[in-house]
């Protein structure tokens, strides 16, 4: 007989209640011995008996084995175990969590802020040395916590003259100069006013008014003046370092005084893990510490994920100890955020899940978000968080969903403002990242719509600031219905009230403009019809006038053609060329019978021309060459070559003195000159003899002047065909007087041409 179990009080707590329920299950099954149950479950009798002892919460595997050994539903008992586990880990009302999760450390949490002591001292020295200092680091490196839980407590502890008169913490927002202008005015007295500007990058992501941005920067940079009693420390995300060059003074101030927040060392990470636990009186398993340090390594932006994993591990603690098992249940550094977010999301109804999606997307500023003048962020920049007012998150379930997200520390509430707890949620929760990627274009258009709506409201809702054209068409496609132009109910909650009012006003204005345009079109059509009638009448009158003018012009042309035909006929014999030209002109003026007759008469009559050598006198000798196309005129030693057709001189030459021209070649190139030494074939273009003729007579030359023919001067003799470049004849023949009429000779390489006939006595 086994040892009797000690009584357990189910009202003592969730662990005791679960143990009591396990005992009842065993009793209903006939209370089998633990040895028999152990054989069926595969666990020891000790493990099964301790599960029902109520001293501590058993593991999930033991509870499922216990239920399976008694033929109960293991899934039902797993749900009971999880309920007991969650209840046992829930902190009491007065219990304080030692870890902040995704939330930043505030000044009141300075006793839990570990691992950055050296960096805080370095920042304090930098801020005392320079009146304007900047802290840079990647998202998740702990810049906000460094300023709030590290720097501010040290400033408040200072009791010397360097202690601050007041410390003011702010974030820029959309209207930084208008909102925080009074906070940048130093407090009266001799002590400095310290201003901590957290999330300085909002100056570039949320504020799109350049003048507003410049005014805010001027207020901050006034701290650099020697007589200023203002000191400024700003925290800037590392990927916005280049944006600090928008103003020369800001770039100079940042380059002279800046602190870079890098990854923690292994010892610093160990302090982050064990320090808050020690303050809370808890223990951390060494294997857990080593595991976390190994997973985090030197990742500069892993601190929010680490803090959240530690918070969830604390909720799963076993007594006063943070265990590796509890840490693994959270999903570790990389999965804790996603696990928590999925747990919260899975507990929402279908309608609440849609509301949660809308709320979370409203808290995102997508990369490339821009104002109406240009892009505020470069393409490829990471998505950032943006605060939103509760009024923007209106909806039937909105407030309930916001409270649930805040209870899970996924969002933070600050008065009427809601904001993501940390940007690590964007990258660590795959579901949210998928929503952002799926709705990126829609988010971008909504961002622009919100900017335009706020500008419109700031201008007292001036109609000139409403959407028009392509922007309105795109916004209508995404957020408004067709037909009447009312905002779709399915997407109505996606827009804030101001955005809905702006879009509705834009649609109403477009509809009014279209109605006005339609009325204008109708008036224009009526006017166009009237003008068209007048134009037709004017064209008809003009056509009649043109036809009358055309008939008059035709009659005038016919009369002129008849006159030209008459003149052409009168000049037919005296000036046939002019007559032919007048006949053509008469035909072109009017194709009449008279002009046609004049034209045909010009075609039938051969064209004749007269040319008179301008040289006069008895000593002029003339030779007609080139088949009548050229006239060679010789006066003493001057030779002129005239074109008979053009009536112009084409060449002029000089002959040697003492030479007399006796004949001319057929091509106006060669002359037969007689001198004291006999006849010479003279080449006019070359100005020199081409050949010695002796007693022979020049009969003919080839077209190119390369060959010439000489004959006897008397009744009979030898006819020779010679080349100008050779003294030997190419061909020779003896002829009698009866053969003085030559049939013709052909020079080598030349076409056949008849020689000039010689009349024999």
């Amino acid at each position: 007989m086994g040892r009797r179990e000690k009584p357990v009080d189910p009202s003592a707590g969730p662990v005791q209640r679960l143990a009591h329920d396990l005992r009842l299950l065993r009793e209903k099954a006939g209370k089998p011995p633990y040895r028999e149950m152990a054989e069926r479950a595969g666990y020891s009798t000790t493990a099964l008996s301790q599960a029902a002892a109520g001293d501590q919460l058993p593991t999930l595997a033991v509870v499922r084995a216990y239920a399976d050994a008694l033929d109960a539903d293991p899934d039902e008992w797993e749900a009971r175990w999880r309920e007991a586990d969650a209840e046992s880990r829930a902190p009491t009302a007065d219990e304080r969590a030692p870890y902040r999760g995704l939330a930043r450390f505030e000044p009141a949490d300075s006793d839990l802020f570990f691992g950055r002591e050296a960096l805080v001292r370095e920042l304090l020295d930098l801020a005392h040395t320079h009146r304007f200092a900047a802290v840079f680091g990647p998202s998740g490196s702990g810049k906000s916590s460094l300023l709030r839980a590290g720097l501010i407590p040290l400033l408040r502890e200072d009791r010397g003259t360097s202690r601050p008169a007041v410390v003011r913490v702010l974030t820029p927002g959309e209207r930084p100069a208008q909102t925080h202008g009074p906070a940048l005015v130093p407090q009266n007295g001799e002590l400095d006013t310290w201003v901590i500007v957290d999330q300085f990058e909002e100056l570039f992501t949320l504020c799109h008014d350049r003048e507003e941005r410049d005014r805010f920067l001027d207020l901050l940079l006034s701290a650099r003046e020697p007589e200023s009693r203002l000191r400024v420390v700003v925290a800037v995300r590392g990927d916005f370092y280049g944006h600090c060059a928008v103003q020369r003074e800001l770039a100079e101030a940042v380059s002279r005084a800046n602190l870079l927040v890098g990854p923690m060392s292994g010892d610093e990470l160990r302090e982050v893990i064990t320090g808050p636990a020690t303050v809370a009186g808890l223990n951390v398993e060494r294997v857990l510490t080593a595991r976390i340090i190994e997973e985090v390594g030197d990742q500069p932006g892993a601190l929010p994920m680490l803090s959240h994993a530690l918070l969830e591990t604390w909720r799963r603690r076993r007594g006063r100890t943070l265990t590796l098992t509890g840490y693994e249940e959270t999903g570790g550094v990389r999965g804790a955020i996603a696990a928590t977010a999925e747990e919260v999301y899975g507990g929402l109804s279908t309608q609440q899940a849609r509301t949660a999606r809308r709320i979370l997307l409203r808290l995102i500023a997508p990369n490339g978000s821009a104002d109406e003048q240009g892009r505020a962020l470069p393409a490829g920049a990471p998505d950032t968080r943006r605060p939103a007012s509760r009024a923007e998150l209106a909806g039937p379930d909105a407030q309930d969903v916001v409270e649930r997200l805040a209870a899970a520390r996924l969002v933070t509430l600050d008065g009427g403002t809601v904001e993501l707890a940390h940007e690590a949620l964007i990258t660590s929760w795959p579901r949210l990242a998928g929503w952002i990627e799926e709705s990126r274009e829609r988010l971008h258009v909504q961002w622009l719509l919100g900017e335009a709506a706020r500008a419109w409201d700031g201008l007292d809702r001036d109609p000139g600031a409403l959407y028009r054209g392509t922007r309105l068409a795109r916004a209508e496609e995404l957020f408004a219905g067709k037909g009447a132009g009312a905002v779709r109910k399915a997407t109505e909650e996606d827009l804030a009230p101001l955005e809905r009012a702006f879009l509705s006003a834009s649609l109403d204005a477009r509809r009014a403009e279209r109605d006005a345009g339609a009325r204008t079109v109708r008036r224009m059509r009526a006017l166009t019809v009237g003008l068209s009638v007048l134009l037709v009448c004017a064209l008809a009158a003009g056509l009649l006038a043109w036809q009358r003018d055309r008939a008059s012009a035709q009659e005038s042309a016919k009369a002129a053609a008849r006159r030209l035909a008459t003149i052409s006929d009168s000049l037919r014999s005296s000036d046939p060329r002019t007559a032919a030209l007048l006949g053509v002109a008469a035909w072109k003026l009017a194709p009449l019978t008279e002009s046609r007759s004049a034209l045909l008469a010009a075609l039938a009559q051969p064209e004749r021309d007269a040319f008179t050598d301008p040289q006069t006198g008895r000593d002029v000798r003339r030779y007609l060459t080139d088949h009548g196309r050229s006239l060679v005129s010789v006066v003493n030693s001057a030779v002129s070559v005239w074109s008979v057709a053009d009536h112009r001189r084409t060449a002029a030459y000089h002959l040697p003195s003492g030479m007399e021209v006796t004949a001319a070649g057929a091509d106006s190139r060669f002359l037969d000159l007689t001198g004291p030494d006999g006849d010479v074939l003279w080449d006019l273009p070359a100005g020199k003899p081409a050949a010695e003729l002796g007693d022979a007579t020049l009969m003919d030359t080839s077209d190119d002047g390369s060959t010439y023919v000489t004959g006897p001067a008397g009744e009979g003799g030898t006819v020779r065909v010679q080349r100008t470049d050779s003294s030997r004849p190419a061909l020779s023949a003896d002829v009698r007087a009866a053969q003085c009429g030559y049939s013709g000779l052909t020079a080598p390489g030349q076409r056949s041409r008849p020689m000039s006939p010689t009349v024999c006595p």
Side-chain angles (χ1 to χ4, degrees):
M1 183 175 178
R3 186 173 55 186
R4 183 181 181 86
E5 294 180 316
K6 66 178 181 179
V8 60
D9 183 9
S11 62
V15 175
Q16 290 76 14
R17 184 172 62 252
L18 179 64
H20 180 267
D21 292 342
L22 290 174
R23 290 185 182 185
L24 290 179
L25 176 65
R26 180 168 171 251
E27 289 179 0
K28 290 180 181 180
K31 204 172 184 180
Y34 279 114
R35 181 177 297 103
E36 180 181 339
M37 291 176 58
E39 293 176 356
R40 298 182 60 184
Y43 278 87
S44 65
T45 57
T46 303
L48 295 177
S49 62
Q50 287 181 349
D55 295 331
Q56 62 181 5
L57 186 69
T59 64
L60 175 60
V62 171
V63 171
R64 289 182 63 91
Y66 194 105
D68 187 58
L70 298 174
D71 296 327
D73 184 7
D75 294 335
E76 176 187 351
W77 286 92
E78 179 178 349
R80 293 192 180 191
W81 179 90
R82 292 191 181 280
E83 181 181 351
D85 179 64
E87 187 177 348
S88 64
R89 287 187 286 104
T92 60
D94 57 347
E95 189 176 8
R96 176 191 181 195
Y99 303 101
R100 296 291 296 159
L102 292 177
R104 62 181 174 239
F105 283 84
E106 298 294 344
D109 302 317
S110 60
D111 60 325
L112 302 177
F113 185 67
F114 289 88
R116 291 297 194 186
E117 291 78 5
L119 195 63
V120 171
R121 290 292 179 184
E122 186 177 351
L123 175 59
L124 182 63
D125 294 341
L126 181 69
H128 278 145
T129 305
H130 302 275
R131 306 193 69 86
F132 186 100
V135 178
F136 289 94
S139 177
S141 59
K143 302 180 298 298
S144 299
S145 299
L146 180 71
L147 294 176
R148 297 170 182 264
L151 179 62
I152 293 178
L154 282 184
L155 292 175
R156 291 174 176 173
E157 291 174 1
D158 197 341
R159 293 294 179 263
T161 56
S162 60
R163 72 181 186 278
V166 64
V167 178
R168 296 165 179 166
V169 183
L170 56 92
T171 55
E174 297 178 358
R175 309 290 296 179
Q178 178 179 336
T179 306
H180 305 299
L184 298 177
V185 177
Q187 183 172 309
N188 293 330
E190 298 181 355
L191 300 179
D192 291 337
T193 295
W194 286 67
V195 176
I196 308 297
V197 183
D198 195 10
Q199 300 178 37
F200 187 73
E201 61 272 8
E202 288 186 0
L203 191 63
F204 310 106
T205 60
L206 300 182
C207 177
H208 302 303
D209 187 338
R210 183 179 295 274
E211 294 183 358
E212 178 79 8
R213 183 187 306 160
D214 291 341
R215 286 197 301 270
F216 183 67
L217 288 176
D218 290 340
L219 291 173
L220 291 181
L221 294 172
S222 64
R224 303 182 68 202
E225 301 296 332
E227 65 279 3
S228 173
R229 288 181 291 100
L230 184 68
R231 289 185 179 272
V232 176
V233 180
V234 301
V236 192
R237 216 170 71 187
D239 50 327
F240 282 84
Y241 182 83
H243 287 66
C244 295
V246 296
Q247 193 181 69
R248 184 180 59 83
E249 292 82 0
L250 176 62
E252 181 181 354
V254 167
S255 63
R256 289 190 176 184
N258 65 82
L259 178 66
L260 180 62
V261 180
M264 286 185 170
S265 65
D267 292 338
E268 291 173 334
L269 287 174
R270 185 173 288 103
E271 292 182 15
V272 170
I273 299 169
T274 61
T278 302
V279 172
L282 303 174
N283 299 318
V284 180
E285 290 183 348
R286 292 185 179 181
V287 64
L288 171 60
T289 303
R291 174 74 171 274
I292 293 177
I293 294 175
E294 178 184 356
E295 289 189 1
V296 173
D298 57 354
Q299 299 180 38
L303 292 183
M305 296 183 290
L306 168 62
S307 182
H308 184 77
L310 289 172
L311 176 61
E312 293 301 312
T313 304
W314 173 77
R315 289 173 175 170
R316 290 166 174 80
R317 65 192 180 278
R318 295 294 180 263
R320 308 299 297 174
T321 303
L322 276 65
T323 64
L324 178 61
T325 302
Y327 172 77
E328 291 176 343
E329 291 175 0
T330 68
V333 170
R334 294 177 178 83
I337 296 178
T340 300
E342 285 295 331
E343 182 179 354
V344 175
Y345 184 77
L348 301 176
S349 65
T350 303
Q351 178 61 35
Q352 289 175 332
R354 287 197 295 267
T355 302
R357 182 181 190 274
R358 175 175 57 84
I359 290 174
L360 291 171
L361 290 179
R362 169 67 70 168
L363 303 178
I364 302 296
N367 63 9
S369 297
D371 57 7
E372 299 299 325
Q373 288 74 34
R375 299 176 68 87
L377 292 176
D383 301 316
T384 58
R385 57 180 173 173
R386 63 173 289 265
S389 64
R390 286 181 178 264
E392 294 182 55
L393 310 178
D397 299 323
Q399 298 307 317
D400 183 33
V401 172
V402 167
E403 293 299 332
R404 290 199 183 191
L405 295 175
R409 299 198 178 185
L410 299 178
V411 301
T412 58
L413 306 178
D414 184 7
T417 302
V418 183
E419 187 177 11
L420 287 181
H422 201 278
E423 289 170 355
L425 186 65
I426 301 175
T427 57
S428 300
W429 189 14
R431 184 185 298 272
L432 179 57
W435 288 343
I436 296 172
E437 199 59 37
E438 176 185 346
S439 308
R440 186 169 299 281
E441 181 182 2
R442 183 184 180 90
L443 289 175
H444 180 67
V445 174
Q446 183 177 354
W447 176 276
L448 294 178
L449 180 66
E451 291 292 313
R454 284 184 285 274
W456 170 66
D457 191 56
L459 295 173
D460 295 330
R461 305 202 170 189
D462 181 9
L466 293 173
Y467 262 4
R468 287 175 175 82
T470 305
R471 293 180 301 176
L472 178 57
R474 186 57 178 152
E476 180 185 20
E477 177 184 354
L478 293 175
F479 300 106
K482 299 179 180 179
V487 178
R488 280 202 312 260
K489 183 173 181 58
T491 60
E492 188 177 33
E493 295 178 354
D494 289 347
L495 300 178
L498 178 61
E499 295 168 349
R500 290 198 298 271
F502 174 78
L503 183 56
S504 297
S506 298
L507 293 172
D508 293 340
R510 185 183 65 180
R511 185 166 51 253
E513 290 174 357
R514 287 179 175 176
D515 294 342
R519 291 192 296 271
T520 302
V521 168
R522 289 194 294 270
R523 289 195 296 267
M524 291 299 297
R525 285 177 179 172
L527 180 61
T528 301
V529 171
L531 291 177
S532 298
V533 173
L534 293 177
L535 180 60
V536 169
C537 295
L539 289 176
L543 180 61
L544 293 175
W546 175 76
Q547 288 179 342
R548 287 196 297 269
D549 292 343
R550 183 182 180 187
S552 177
Q554 288 177 347
E555 292 300 325
S556 299
K558 290 178 180 179
R562 291 188 182 97
R563 289 195 298 271
L564 290 178
T566 302
I567 296 173
S568 175
D569 291 339
S570 65
L571 295 176
R572 191 73 62 199
S573 58
S574 60
D575 193 352
R577 180 180 179 84
T578 303
L581 293 175
L582 290 175
V584 173
W587 175 258
K588 288 185 175 180
L589 280 176
L592 304 174
T593 303
E594 294 87 344
S595 59
R596 185 173 183 274
S597 298
L599 181 62
L600 293 177
L603 292 175
Q605 182 177 356
E607 183 177 351
R608 296 187 179 93
D609 195 8
F611 173 68
T612 303
D613 186 5
Q615 298 290 342
T616 59
R618 296 181 178 180
D619 296 335
V620 179
R621 305 188 66 179
R622 301 179 178 87
Y623 303 91
L624 194 60
T625 63
D626 291 341
H627 303 283
R629 290 191 293 272
S630 299
L631 176 67
V632 179
S633 176
V634 182
V635 180
N636 297 328
S637 60
V639 179
S640 299
V641 180
W642 297 87
S643 173
V644 176
D646 298 336
H647 298 187
R648 63 184 181 85
R649 186 166 64 179
T650 58
Y653 308 101
H654 287 278
L655 300 176
S657 60
M659 305 296 286
E660 181 180 354
V661 179
T662 58
D667 58 353
S668 304
R669 178 177 178 181
F670 296 98
L671 295 179
D672 184 2
L673 302 184
T674 302
D677 298 330
D679 289 352
V680 176
L681 182 62
W682 187 264
D683 187 348
L684 285 175
K688 63 181 181 178
E692 298 291 340
L693 300 179
D695 296 335
T697 300
L698 178 65
M699 304 298 293
D700 202 354
T701 61
S702 63
D703 290 342
D704 60 357
S706 63
T707 309
Y708 62 94
V709 181
T710 60
E715 297 180 356
T718 302
V719 176
R720 294 183 176 87
V721 179
Q722 289 183 282
R723 295 183 181 277
T724 56
D725 58 355
S726 176
S727 60
R728 298 179 63 184
L731 178 65
S732 63
D734 293 334
V735 297
R736 294 176 298 170
Q739 297 172 326
C740 290
Y742 306 106
S743 61
L745 295 174
T746 302
Q750 301 294 327
R751 64 181 178 83
S752 175
R753 61 177 293 175
M755 296 171 49
S756 300
T758 302
V759 181
C760 299

